[in-house]
Structures are given as structure tokens and as C-alpha cells.
């Protein structure tokens, strides 16, 4: 009886071990996934410079980074005839260390779904801010039950532009020097004239610091309001008109009818919905055997914000959402060309639309936090100057002597 019980116990342990081994092996086996690569490598990419001037910047705008998504099966082979849905989100909001575009922090930058005959989707996207971006990718088969759908979250981390650290260091040194000089003057031996509460040099210094602080606060707020007013003036019906694209938004050519539609205007930090559709004007049937090339260009400085190349869906449409992070007019250009193996051959042609983008001023809290940092640096320099003066001057010399009249 005892041997039978031991045999059952050993058998149960072995059975549990076999089940656990199979479960662990199954969980560790390769699974279908999505691979992300960038060109250039992400560690060589830098955020967009708000103003790429030669004085305070590199002097040029970098090309958008190419994001390449490749859907593969468990054996690492590319999945054929897939549809890939990409949602790209910017880095999370951090009010204590804001970026050049605080309005777009923690928002959706891009939302696009495209056919991927070879299992690959490529987009070109200008990344506006530093930090960790999230990519939500959904892969589904164009042919029902061809493979199991894939849901995956990917991340990429964009480092800050090294020029920002250089300019910030220079600014910190200047502010510290101002505070250090002020502390040195205040800490010196000063004579108080009858009827004065502080020596003249001290009063002049404190008055100057107050004027500088008020001027800095006014400059931060007025410049932000003027920037917002400038962008509002570029909106239709509010002054300056958006330049014409020179191309129609809908066009019938060579047996094809193509139309670019969607939002006629946009606001920084909010997604704009856009769509291009193709059909045969004779039969009104959708056209799918073509190649679409989409390019979004910022018109003030002529840099590319977004680009995509792919085929329309079964309804002859390509729809996407993109967020604008610079308050300036943008040009949306869509070019259609025949596929190499298509029976329908024609000369490529384009439709386009210029849309105004309304700028949004940074929140007051962001401006005040920045001003607080700068003021704190001056105060640190002031305390350091007082401490250095105290070490050099005898203790009795630290008191202000009232002159005898």
C-alpha cells in the first residue's frame, strides 16, 4: 500500500513536470512579431529645431527619419499580403523640463493604415521633441485567416540636440555671473547715509534686478502672445491668406479621377484627418492598382514633416491622420503613378492642398516655471557672491556703518 502511494505521487510529479516543461517551451518559442528599424539610426537623429538659424542653431533642417516596420512570422519570414495600422505617440508630458513644442507632448503624432504586400510599411516622419516615442502596431491579413493578427507596442528614444545643452550652459554662466557680481557688491563694506535704509550701490543693484525680472517676464509673455497672434493672422479670414498650392485638390486625367479631401485647416497639437480617393470616372469603380506618394511640407522654411508611399485600399482610398506641431501653412501633395506590373499605364500626376495651421502659445505654467529656473540661478549666484565676499572681508567689515554727519 505504501509503495502504491509513492508510485502515484512520483507519477503525478512527473506529469506536472512534463506539463510545465511544455508550457515553458511553448512560451519561449518564437512568435510572430513586428521589427522596427530607422534610417538614419535613432541615436543619430535629433529633434526638429524650432528655428534652425546660423546664430542659435545648426543653420539647416534635418530630413525626416524613415521608420520601417517589418511583420515576420515565427520563423522570421516576412508576412505577405498584410495590412499594417500604425499609431505614433510623442514622448510623455513633463512640465518641469519642457521641450520646444510643449503642446504636442503626450499626443498622437500619426495614425495611418496601409497595405503591405511584402509585410513592410515605411513612413518618413519629422520627430519634433526629445524623449521616448510609442508605436502601436496592428497587423492583419488581407486574405481572411492567412495568419494570426499581431498587436505590438514598440518604442524609440530620441536624444536631445547637443546644441541645446551648449546654449543652456552659456546662459547659466551668464546668469550666475550676474548674481555673483550682485552678491559681491552687496556683501562689501557700504556706508549708509542719513535717512537711507541701504547703501546707494545696493539700492541700485536691487532696483536693476527687479527691472530685469519684470522685463524678462514681460518678454516671455508678450513674445508668446505675438507669436500666437502672428499665426492667427495666417488663418483664412483673419488677414494674411495661405498661398495657393498651384495644383487642384481634385483632378480627372488619363481615365482617372483623384480627389484630396479632409480638414481644411488645423491646429497645433490636434490631429488633422486627410484622405485621397481614386476612381474610374467612366464606371465609378475604385482604382487600386496604383502607387500613391504623399508629402507634407512646411511652407515657411520648406522642410518635410511627413511622407508616405503605398497603395490604396480595396475602396481606392488612403486615409490618415497627422498632427501639425508648427504653426505655419503646410502643403499636402499626393502624386499617383502606375504600378510596374499594372495593366493601366499613365503619366503620373498630382493633386495638392495648402492648409493653414493655427499656432498655440505655451501654457502660462510652462513660462512661469522657466522664469523660476532662471531667477533661481541668479539667486544662487547672488548667495555665492555674498559667501565669497564674507570669506574675504573681516567679520566686522560685513556690517554697514552709518556715516556720522
Amino acid at each position: 500500500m505504501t509503495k502504491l502511494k509513492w508510485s502515484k505521487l512520483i507519477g503525478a510529479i512527473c506529469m506536472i513536470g512534463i506539463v510545465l516543461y511544455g508550457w515553458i517551451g511553448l512560451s519561449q518559442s518564437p512568435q510572430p512579431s513586428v521589427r522596427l528599424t530607422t534610417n538614419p539610426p535613432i541615436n543619430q537623429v535629433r529633434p526638429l529645431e524650432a528655428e534652425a538659424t546660423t546664430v542659435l542653431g545648426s543653420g539647416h533642417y534635418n530630413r525626416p527619419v524613415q521608420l520601417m516596420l517589418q511583420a515576420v512570422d515565427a520563423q522570421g519570414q516576412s508576412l505577405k499580403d498584410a495590412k499594417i495600422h500604425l499609431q505614433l505617440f510623442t514622448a510623455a508630458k513633463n512640465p518641469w523640463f519642457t521641450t520646444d513644442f510643449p503642446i504636442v507632448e503626450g499626443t498622437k503624432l500619426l495614425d495611418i493604415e496601409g497595405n503591405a504586400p511584402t509585410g513592410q510599411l515605411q513612413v518618413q516622419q519629422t520627430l519634433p521633441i526629445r524623449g521616448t516615442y510609442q508605436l502601436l502596431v496592428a497587423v492583419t491579413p488581407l486574405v481572411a485567416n492567412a495568419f494570426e493578427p499581431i498587436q505590438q507596442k514598440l518604442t524609440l528614444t530620441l536624444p536631445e540636440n547637443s546644441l541645446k545643452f551648449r546654449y543652456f550652459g552659456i546662459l547659466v554662466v551668464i546668469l550666475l555671473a550676474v548674481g555673483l557680481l550682485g552678491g559681491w557688491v552687496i556683501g562689501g563694506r557700504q556706508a549708509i547715509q542719513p535717512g537711507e535704509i541701504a547703501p546707494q550701490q545696493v539700492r541700485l543693484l536691487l532696483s536693476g534686478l527687479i527691472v530685469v525680472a519684470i522685463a524678462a517676464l514681460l518678454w516671455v509673455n508678450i513674445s508668446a502672445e505675438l507669436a500666437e497672434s502672428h499665426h492667427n493672422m495666417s488663418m483664412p479670414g483673419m488677414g494674411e491668406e495661405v498661398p495657393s498650392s498651384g495644383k487642384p485638390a481634385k483632378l480627372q486625367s488619363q481615365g482617372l479621377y483623384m480627389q484630396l479631401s479632409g480638414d481644411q485647416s488645423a491646429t497645433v497639437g490636434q490631429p488633422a484627418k486627410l484622405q485621397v480617393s481614386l476612381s474610374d470616372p467612366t464606371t465609378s469603380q475604385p482604382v487600386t492598382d496604383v502607387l500613391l506618394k504623399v508629402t507634407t511640407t512646411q511652407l515657411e522654411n520648406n522642410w518635410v514633416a511627413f511622407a508616405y508611399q503605398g497603395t490604396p485600399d480595396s475602396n481606392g482610398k488612403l486615409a490618415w491622420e497627422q498632427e501639425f506641431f508648427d504653426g505655419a501653412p503646410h502643403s499636402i501633395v499626393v502624386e499617383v503613378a502606375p504600378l510596374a506590373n499594372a495593366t493601366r499605364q499613365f503619366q503620373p500626376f498630382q493633386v495638392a492642398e495648402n492648409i493653414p495651421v493655427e499656432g498655440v502659445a505655451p501654457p502660462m505654467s510652462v513660462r512661469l516655471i522657466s522664469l523660476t529656473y532662471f531667477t533661481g540661478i541668479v539667486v544662487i549666484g547672488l548667495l555665492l557672491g555674498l559667501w565669497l565676499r564674507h570669506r574675504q572681508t573681516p567679520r566686522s567689515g560685513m556690517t554697514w556703518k552709518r556715516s556720522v554727519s
Side-chain angles (χ1 to χ4, degrees):
M1 187 66 180
T2 303
K3 292 182 178 181
L4 182 59
K5 289 182 179 180
W6 276 106
S7 299
K8 290 181 179 180
L9 179 60
I10 294 174
I13 294 174
C14 292
M15 184 61 67
I16 294 173
I18 293 172
V19 172
L20 289 176
Y21 179 79
W23 180 78
I24 294 173
L26 182 62
S27 63
Q28 292 180 348
S29 63
Q31 299 292 325
S33 62
V34 179
R35 298 172 181 173
L36 170 65
T37 56
T38 65
N39 185 25
I42 195 62
N43 59 354
Q44 299 178 13
V45 180
R46 294 297 179 267
L48 174 73
E49 295 181 47
E51 293 293 338
T53 62
T54 55
V55 178
L56 294 175
S58 63
H60 67 276
Y61 293 95
N62 296 328
R63 298 181 59 184
V65 59
Q66 187 177 49
L67 306 176
M68 294 170 284
L69 299 170
Q70 182 69 58
V72 297
D73 58 17
Q75 287 72 41
Q77 300 298 318
S78 297
L79 293 173
K80 305 297 183 182
D81 297 326
K83 179 181 289 187
I84 299 180
H85 182 197
L86 168 64
Q87 298 180 77
L88 175 62
F89 296 86
T90 60
K93 187 180 295 293
N94 187 343
W96 305 110
F97 299 98
T98 185
T99 62
D100 285 351
F101 303 93
I103 300 300
V104 304
E105 295 173 1
T107 59
K108 184 192 294 185
L109 188 61
L110 178 65
D111 190 333
I112 188 170
E113 184 178 61
N115 293 339
T118 61
Q120 187 178 83
L121 179 76
Q122 295 186 19
V123 299
Q124 296 182 53
Q125 176 67 56
T126 294
L127 303 178
I129 59 175
R130 66 176 183 271
T132 300
Y133 290 73
Q134 289 190 354
L135 297 88
L136 301 183
V137 185
V139 183
T140 55
L142 290 174
V143 180
N145 302 321
F147 57 83
E148 289 294 326
I150 303 173
Q151 300 278 345
Q152 191 167 342
K153 181 170 72 173
L154 304 170
T155 60
L156 57 86
T157 301
L158 188 65
E160 182 59 281
N161 194 329
S162 59
L163 290 174
K164 299 294 178 65
F165 297 110
R166 182 189 307 175
Y167 297 141
F168 180 73
I170 294 173
L171 180 60
V172 168
V173 170
I174 293 174
L175 294 177
L176 280 175
V178 171
L180 186 65
L181 178 61
W184 184 270
V185 173
I186 294 176
R189 181 180 300 176
Q190 305 286 344
I192 303 178
Q193 301 300 326
E196 294 181 341
I197 60 174
Q200 182 179 6
Q201 293 91 333
V202 175
R203 288 186 283 110
L204 290 175
L205 178 62
L206 294 176
S207 299
L209 289 176
I210 293 173
V211 170
V212 170
I214 294 175
L217 181 60
L218 290 175
W219 179 80
V220 169
N221 288 275
I222 292 176
S223 61
E225 296 300 329
L226 288 177
E228 184 176 12
S229 174
H230 167 73
H231 294 308
N232 287 338
M233 288 296 291
S234 65
M235 300 293 290
M238 301 184 67
E240 181 185 355
E241 293 185 358
V242 177
S244 173
S245 64
K247 300 181 180 66
K250 52 185 177 181
L251 179 63
Q252 181 175 329
S253 175
Q254 307 171 75
L256 286 176
Y257 176 74
M258 180 165 63
Q259 180 179 7
L260 176 61
S261 58
D263 294 339
Q264 300 298 309
S265 63
T267 303
V268 170
Q270 299 179 13
K273 297 181 179 180
L274 298 163
Q275 176 181 280
V276 60
S277 58
L278 290 107
S279 62
D280 188 323
T282 304
T283 62
S284 299
Q285 294 299 311
V287 175
T288 60
D289 57 344
V290 294
L291 184 66
L292 297 174
K293 182 180 179 181
V294 182
T295 305
T296 300
T297 305
Q298 194 258 31
L299 293 177
E300 280 191 356
N301 305 107
N302 199 35
W303 47 265
V304 176
F306 166 72
Y308 170 74
Q309 184 171 295
T311 59
D313 60 17
S314 58
N315 297 317
K317 297 180 180 180
L318 173 66
W320 73 97
E321 294 182 16
Q322 65 178 108
E323 180 185 64
F324 297 93
F325 44 84
D326 190 19
H330 285 66
S331 172
I332 314 294
V333 178
V334 182
E335 180 180 279
V336 59
L339 293 174
N341 56 352
T343 57
R344 185 196 306 264
Q345 295 295 318
F346 56 91
Q347 290 297 319
F349 61 94
Q350 297 178 342
V351 293
E353 183 80 26
N354 288 358
I355 64 174
V357 179
E358 181 183 1
V360 179
M364 180 64 71
S365 59
V366 173
R367 307 180 217 172
L368 293 178
I369 289 174
S370 300
L371 183 62
T372 301
Y373 288 156
F374 296 149
T375 305
I377 295 173
V378 174
V379 171
I380 292 174
L382 185 69
L383 296 176
L384 183 60
L386 288 171
W387 178 72
L388 291 174
R389 190 72 170 189
H390 175 74
R391 290 192 61 182
Q392 184 179 12
T393 306
R395 185 173 300 275
S396 59
M398 290 298 295
T399 59
W400 292 328
K401 296 182 178 181
R402 185 179 302 275
S403 58
V404 180
S405 57

